[in-house]
Amino acid sequence: MKILLFTLFAALLSGCAGKEIETFPENFAQPSDLRDLDLDGVIEDREKCDDTIKGAIVNNDGCSGVKTVNERFTLNILFANGSSYIHPNYYPEVAKVADFIKRHPYTDVIIEGHASATGPADINKRLSLERAQSIKALLLSRYGIERARIQSIGYGEDQLLDTANTPEADKRNRRVVADMRGSDKRTPLKWTIYTQLEN
């Protein structure tokens, strides 16, 4: 038996000894990007959806099937000069934002206040913030949107739409914009040992 094993072992060694070992050249460059930067299990060479939510179920392209929501629209609200009061006639404009947020429960909104270049810049910045905060307050009190989903910011005259020094330009620049971002549904996650069932 020992002789048979020795013969087989010798035959294997002699078979391998006749082949040359091939090595990669020193300056060999990997043709594919094998990294997985968003840790979704799909290499960058195949990745089509960057920044996948960690733990999301993805397809072969690294996409989770959840659509991103990115909507911006200007609210048609006219404020009196130097005022942040919203006349009830403009409530339907605010209702559009509330309806959108309610239809997309995984989105947040930034209410941007903008002002014309008439008057001191610091006052315009404060007034634009107060106007954005008025919209936020209405979304909270009248439409029941969660506080954590709304942010208000005042840009003052930093982002003018029209730089002409005319009443029409001032009217265009005094605006409030709703910027809504998020996803159209909650991202389904992979089952792991840490997954908890919902009650």
Side-chain angles (χ1 to χ4, degrees), residues 153-194:
I153 187 168
Y155 285 106
E157 56 192 72
D158 294 343
Q159 298 181 8
L160 297 176
L161 287 179
D162 192 334
T163 56
N165 189 18
T166 64
E168 292 77 19
D170 291 344
K171 187 176 177 181
R172 285 191 69 208
N173 291 324
R174 285 194 300 266
R175 68 199 188 280
V176 177
V177 176
D179 184 4
M180 285 152 292
R181 296 171 190 250
S183 65
D184 67 343
K185 63 178 179 177
R186 186 166 65 181
T187 302
L189 300 179
K190 298 173 189 171
W191 179 272
T192 71
I193 61 170
Y194 305 106

Side-chain angles (χ1 to χ4, degrees), residues 77-81 83-86 131 134-135 174-176:
I77 297 175
L78 297 178
F79 292 94
N81 190 25
S83 172
S84 59
Y85 170 73
I86 305 170
R131 288 172 175 168
S134 293
I135 302 291
R174 285 194 300 266
R175 68 199 188 280
V176 177

